[in-house]
Amino acid sequence: DEQRELLSALGGVYASGAEVDWAAFFAGSGARRVDLPTYAFQHRHYWLEAQSSTGDASEFGQLAAEHPLLGAVVTLPSTDGVVLTGRLSLRSHPWLADHGVLGRVLLPGTAFVELAIKAGDQVGCDLLEELTLEAPLVVPERGGVALRVVAGAPDGSGACTVTVHSRPDDTPDGEWTRHAEGVLRPAAGRLPEMSAELTEWPPRGAQPVEVDGAYELLTGRGYGYGPVFQGLKAAWRRGDEVFAEVALPDQAKADAALFGLHPALLDAAMHADLLDEQGETLLPFVWSGVRLHAVGASALRVRIRRMNGDELSSIVVADATGAPVASVETLVSRPVSAKQLEAAGTGHHESLLTVEWVAPPPHVAVAPPSWAELAALGRPGADLAALAAGTAVPDVVFFSGLGEPGEDVPAAVRSVTGRVLAVVQEWLAGERFAASKL
């Protein structure tokens, strides 16, 4: 027993970080080292893993979306609009866990752009004219959220609206949250200004920017970027222009071909610009003039140009050879707080306070209130006192007939005020009047 107590005490000391001479402790006891059983440390599952695919969409009268974030496309009868459906979770899309902001896992703003562009492909619109992000989409730790991307029928000019909604799995009868709304339009051959400097690399006259420790710096500003989103490799600056080189990690490169432009890669394209900001945590707010020129890139060259102080930026993206991949005419960002993300993560809850019209039961007759002039119940100047003890007091009593003020207005005001005060005091003091209104 003493040996076991001593061993337990030494174990506690060792667990606290102290050095223990175990050879000296076990000397002469015949104790020897043995291998630990390995099964306790083998992280293998002996049950089937759930697949992220929900099966063949055609079996449900839908079309396969052929996109990692979406499962099916539903064409709307009698219109040219479409609905794209999908489901997001950390189990089916584990790479989303690498996009943390202020302690929450958010669907990146670049993913909303990807979803809108995919919807535009379905309705013949290759230009995302504008997309406003109204509310962040918090990806829950457990369970998932259903996605709905709706592209309306094009109008006379060929433009159509696009919206992105979500709803948690655990509230199938709950309301949908609208996260983004925008406008899609055919580009009609319009090409944006593409920088020839993305072919000559690094750009002439640009000064290198230190990127070692960049993600530690961004962590201090509230950005919790994991390996998939840590794509910034190099950066340069020239006046109001920022140039960057970004790439997906090896484990994500195979997925690049499945996207138009992988959201993690486009998100990393903006990280060099964030290094110059101080303090606030910024999220994309309004994207304008977004167009995809090539698909499947896993590495990018980027030019970001400030257009109006710290608010507006234009972005040009090329592949590793300088060929155009994507362009953004303007991007407006806005600061976000932990309180805002906390509210977004709680979802929608109905208020416990409601307004309801309650009608009286049909068999109950509602009689009109009885009323009378106060002067008819007694004499002026002694109205209430003149009421006989057995006289019933009506439901409503009107005190009027105070007369005209005459020429001496101040005296009349004092007189009327005195009379009204006396009547009100008597009314409040008399128990007979408790069920009536004056």
Side-chain angles (χ1 to χ4, degrees), residues 183-208:
V183 177
L184 295 162
R185 187 182 298 277
R190 182 178 60 169
L191 292 175
E193 175 193 356
M194 302 299 291
S195 176
E197 294 157 338
L198 297 183
T199 304
E200 179 185 359
W201 199 256
R204 182 179 303 177
Q207 300 300 315

Side-chain angles (χ1 to χ4, degrees), residues 287-349:
W287 301 80
S288 300
V290 184
R291 189 175 179 187
L292 198 60
H293 308 282
V295 300
S298 61
L300 300 175
R301 296 175 179 178
V302 185
R303 188 201 70 188
I304 303 174
R305 174 180 292 169
R306 296 289 180 86
M307 300 177 61
N308 182 18
D310 293 337
E311 279 199 346
L312 298 178
S313 300
S314 67
I315 305 173
V316 175
V317 178
D319 64 14
T321 67
V325 171
S327 56
V328 181
E329 290 183 0
T330 61
L331 170 61
V332 181
S333 298
R334 287 287 183 267
V336 67
S337 66
K339 185 176 181 181
Q340 289 173 304
L341 296 186
E342 181 179 359
T346 59
H348 174 77
H349 297 281

Side-chain angles (χ1 to χ4, degrees), residues 209-231:
V209 175
E210 182 61 52
V211 297
D212 290 341
Y215 287 101
E216 288 78 4
L217 175 64
L218 292 177
T219 298
R221 289 188 50 202
Y223 300 100
Y225 292 129
V228 175
F229 283 80
Q230 293 182 7

Side-chain angles (χ1 to χ4, degrees), residues 384-435:
L384 298 180
L387 287 176
T391 303
V393 181
D395 298 321
V396 181
V397 176
F398 293 93
F399 181 22
S400 59
L402 297 176
E404 296 296 326
E407 295 182 359
D408 192 355
V409 175
V413 170
R414 285 193 296 270
S415 174
V416 169
T417 304
R419 289 181 58 198
V420 171
L421 177 60
V423 169
V424 170
Q425 288 176 334
E426 287 186 63
W427 184 275
L428 296 176
E431 296 182 356
R432 298 176 58 197
F433 314 120

Side-chain angles (χ1 to χ4, degrees), residues 372-380 383 397-401:
E373 289 280 348
L374 184 58
L377 302 177
R379 297 190 309 274
D383 304 306
V397 176
F398 293 93
F399 181 22
S400 59

